[in-house]
Amino acid sequence: MEQFTEKPPPSRRHTNLGGESSLRGGGGGCCCSCLGDVIRAGIHPRVNRFTIRIFGNRNAIQKEQLRCLEEGPFIIHPYSYFRLTWDMVMMLLLAANMVWLPIAISFFDSTSSEDDVMASMFSHFNDAMFISDLLLNFRTGVVTSTSTTVEMGQRSIARRYLRSWFTTDLLSSIPFDVIAERLFPQTEGPAIYMKASKTLKILRIAKLLTLLKLLRLSRLLRYASQWEELLNLASVAFRVLNVIFTMMMVAHWCGCFMFFFPKILGFPSNSWMINENLLESGWWEQYSWSLFR
């Protein structure tokens, strides 16, 4: 006679709590998993025509994705969608800085007028972006000379960056003028004239240190060289445009510094700004005179 063993009914605790975990905990795990997939899709190389041209085939790209996962979380691949987009944004911002920085350093001092407030806000935004770029460089893989081998080890990335462009990027990212204005605010009144005079000298030194922001040009050259290599832009037309852009930037910088250096000296009585009665003029008129002088 066959004996039938009756299976125990599923416990209520198992069904209820399991269902709740699948709805609650499982839902949270699903959200975290989806978020992780989105992050990995952004910081790891995707399969597209660009990466296929770099690595050769889909299998090589998949191996590169697996290698990114093995190196650790949040290591950004230089050929990822996020990094390429970030580099493009930074290159446009750097190009704008090469135009705006000499103007801001030479013609803007305080935050009294609306133009000065906008210039100050744009300057703070730039400082935040470049500090963020400096930090991201510690988490971004380094492309070797072959353009297909990428160094993804965290310690190796930090070591390479510290030995190459870190000092230049750090000096060009520190807002010396903002730090000086916060530590040594300008004061008014004849009783504290000596203190105000000392503060003015410190602010002038900080203004000179602000010229270190022009070292951001090195980042622009690096990004431009990288995109020129990736997109194969080594053509005669591109070189001609590069020469024209360089000549325009040199003329622009020289025009700004024509006004900047007499300003640092306190506008001597024999300076051309005094002779042309431009001290009370707007910055655009001052810039026009400096550019075509």
Side-chain angles (χ1 to χ4, degrees):
M1 184 175 181
E2 295 182 2
Q3 293 181 356
F4 296 93
T5 57
E6 183 180 0
K7 294 182 180 180
S11 62
R12 181 177 300 179
R13 179 176 181 270
H14 175 77
T15 55
N16 291 344
L17 293 181
E20 290 179 3
S21 63
S22 63
L23 292 176
R24 296 182 183 178
C30 181
C31 291
C32 294
S33 177
C34 292
L35 180 60
D37 292 341
V38 170
I39 294 176
R40 283 191 294 271
I43 65 177
H44 293 171
R46 294 182 178 181
V47 178
N48 50 45
R49 288 183 297 178
F50 172 74
T51 53
I52 289 177
R53 183 169 62 85
I54 295 294
F55 294 103
N57 53 60
R58 292 175 177 267
N59 292 331
I61 299 173
Q62 292 174 355
K63 291 180 181 179
E64 194 71 10
Q65 292 172 347
L66 292 176
R67 194 165 69 92
C68 293
L69 292 174
E70 293 173 356
E71 293 295 343
F74 304 112
I75 298 295
I76 305 172
H77 197 280
Y79 296 141
S80 63
Y81 179 79
F82 169 77
R83 188 66 212 196
L84 292 176
T85 304
W86 177 269
D87 289 349
M88 179 62 71
V89 172
M90 290 301 299
M91 191 166 64
L92 295 176
L93 188 61
L94 282 164
N97 268 256
M98 292 305 99
V99 177
W100 176 250
L101 265 179
I103 295 177
I105 293 173
S106 302
F107 299 99
F108 293 93
D109 267 334
S110 61
T111 57
S112 57
S113 66
E114 184 177 353
D115 290 339
D116 294 336
V117 172
M118 295 299 296
S120 179
M121 291 176 60
F122 184 69
S123 178
H124 294 338
F125 172 75
N126 283 329
D127 295 337
M129 289 292 291
F130 287 112
I131 292 175
S132 300
D133 183 65
L134 184 144
L135 297 177
L136 284 177
N137 287 335
F138 282 102
R139 307 294 298 180
T140 302
V142 180
V143 181
T144 60
S145 58
T146 60
S147 298
T148 57
T149 304
V150 180
E151 180 61 53
M152 296 293 292
Q154 183 174 351
R155 292 185 178 180
S156 179
I157 292 172
R159 191 183 305 113
R160 284 173 177 264
Y161 186 48
L162 289 172
R163 291 177 180 177
S164 55
W165 293 102
F166 171 75
T167 303
T168 303
D169 292 347
L170 180 64
L171 291 176
S172 65
S173 301
I174 298 176
F176 291 102
D177 51 344
V178 177
I179 295 174
E181 289 176 1
R182 295 296 182 269
L183 294 179
F184 305 98
Q186 298 190 43
T187 54
E188 298 179 356
I192 48 177
Y193 175 75
M194 294 301 294
K195 182 179 179 180
S197 177
K198 183 178 180 180
T199 301
L200 184 60
K201 293 179 180 179
I202 295 174
L203 292 178
R204 285 180 179 176
I205 295 174
K207 199 72 173 179
L208 287 173
L209 290 176
T210 307
L211 292 175
L212 292 174
K213 289 185 177 182
L214 296 178
L215 292 175
R216 294 173 182 175
L217 176 63
S218 64
R219 297 195 198 188
L220 178 61
L221 296 177
R222 275 146 48 197
Y223 287 135
S225 177
Q226 175 184 346
W227 279 95
E228 180 182 358
E229 181 180 354
L230 292 178
L231 300 179
N232 293 326
L233 296 178
S235 62
V236 177
F238 183 79
R239 292 177 182 177
V240 170
L241 291 176
N242 193 14
V243 171
I244 294 175
F245 177 78
T246 303
M247 294 176 62
M248 293 176 63
M249 286 298 100
V250 170
H252 171 65
W253 285 27
C254 290
C256 292
F257 292 149
M258 282 286 294
F259 190 88
F260 174 76
F261 290 113
K263 179 181 180 180
I264 288 296
L265 297 176
F267 294 117
S269 58
N270 60 345
S271 61
W272 66 271
M273 289 80 64
I274 299 294
N275 296 333
E276 300 294 343
N277 195 21
L278 292 173
L279 293 185
E280 301 299 327
S281 302
W283 74 268
W284 178 252
E285 184 177 356
Q286 294 172 345
Y287 171 74
S288 300
W289 276 86
S290 300
L291 183 62
F292 295 103
R293 183 169 176 77

